[in-house]
């Protein structure tokens, strides 16, 4: 079981994975070595799975991709439920995220492709052909406003007039 310090460290790392141990230590009233020990233990227990950056790819047009969210209706299999079909889907390299959902659809799949055609081919040729998949609805992402808690907005410039004596 995790103690309160572990939860505090996790919240800090989730907000900023690049923060140095000595800074985290000051924030949670521990030594840098104790923070490193907590982090290693959390990584070993697979509580911390990965560290990542939020990138605004629109600033690099040559690297832009097409992102789609696909709602998938599935016929679950006896004994394994949705897990077996979910595993087949998340193994595709185009799949960036996969969630079991409540509501009209069972799975929500987030994929990335180089073009809209490539993304459409993935849905029609790979995803829809899986036996348990009954139907899909594809939503293409047009613009990102916020992702993983980060707002994608240019900082506003200071429009005040400089006054000097």
């Amino acid at each position: 079981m995790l103690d309160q310090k572990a939860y505090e460290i996790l919240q800090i790392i989730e907000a900023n994975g690049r923060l140095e141990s000595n800074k985290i230590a000051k924030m949670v009233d521990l030594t840098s070595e104790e923070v490193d020990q907590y982090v290693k233990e959390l990584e070993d227990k697979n509580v911390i799975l990965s560290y990542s950056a939020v990138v605004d790819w629109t600033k690099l047009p040559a690297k832009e991709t097409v992102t789609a969210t696909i709602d998938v209706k599935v016929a679950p299999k006896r004994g394994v439920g949705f897990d077996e079909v979910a595993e087949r889907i998340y193994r595709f390299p185009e799949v960036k995220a996969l969630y079991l959902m409540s509501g009209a659809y069972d799975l929500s799949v987030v994929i990335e492709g180089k073009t809209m055609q490539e993304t459409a081919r993935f849905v029609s040729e790979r995803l829809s052909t899986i036996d348990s998949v009954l139907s899909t609805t594809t939503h293409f992402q047009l613009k990102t406003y916020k992702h993983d808690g980060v707002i994608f907005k240019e900082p506003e410039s200071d429009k005040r007039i400089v006054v000097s004596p």
Side-chain angles (χ1 to χ4, degrees):
M1 200 63 160
L2 300 178
D3 64 16
Q4 185 59 36
K5 292 293 184 187
Y7 283 104
E8 291 174 19
I9 291 168
L10 285 170
Q11 288 175 324
I12 292 166
I13 290 173
E14 186 177 39
N16 183 355
R18 291 186 53 137
L19 209 55
E20 297 169 359
S21 299
N22 61 341
K23 292 182 181 178
I24 297 171
K26 289 177 186 174
M27 297 167 78
V28 296
D29 195 29
L30 292 173
T31 67
S32 182
E33 293 76 22
E34 290 171 320
V35 168
D36 289 340
Q37 186 176 353
Y38 267 105
V39 170
K40 180 169 180 0
E41 184 178 320
L42 293 164
E43 290 171 343
D44 290 345
K45 290 181 177 179
N46 287 331
V47 175
I48 297 174
L49 298 173
S50 176
Y51 298 89
S52 63
V54 176
V55 178
D56 186 353
W57 290 107
T58 62
K59 300 274 180 14
L60 306 165
K63 290 289 186 183
E64 280 191 82
T65 57
V66 174
T67 302
T69 301
I70 306 160
D71 297 326
V72 183
K73 186 76 174 158
V74 174
K77 290 188 177 180
R78 177 169 281 158
V80 293
F82 298 101
D83 294 344
E84 186 178 286
V85 70
E87 185 174 339
R88 286 191 64 194
I89 293 169
Y90 71 60
R91 291 194 183 281
F92 290 118
E94 298 89 343
V95 175
K96 300 303 172 197
L98 175 61
Y99 308 97
L100 179 62
M101 306 297 287
S102 64
Y105 289 89
D106 303 306
L107 299 172
S108 181
V109 184
V110 179
I111 69 167
E112 283 184 3
K114 290 183 178 120
T115 65
M116 199 172 278
Q117 287 304 109
E118 181 181 293
T119 304
R121 271 194 310 277
F122 171 82
V123 175
S124 64
E125 296 172 8
R126 299 176 90 186
L127 184 60
S128 296
T129 59
I130 296 172
D131 289 338
S132 298
V133 172
L134 302 174
S135 67
T136 64
T137 303
T138 304
H139 310 274
F140 287 97
Q141 179 181 308
L142 302 177
K143 182 177 180 178
T144 301
Y145 292 101
K146 186 175 183 178
H147 180 76
D148 283 348
V150 178
I151 297 171
F152 282 54
K153 182 178 174 185
E154 292 293 327
E156 293 188 22
S157 61
D158 189 355
K159 296 185 182 190
R160 295 179 289 176
I161 299 173
V162 177
V163 179
S164 59

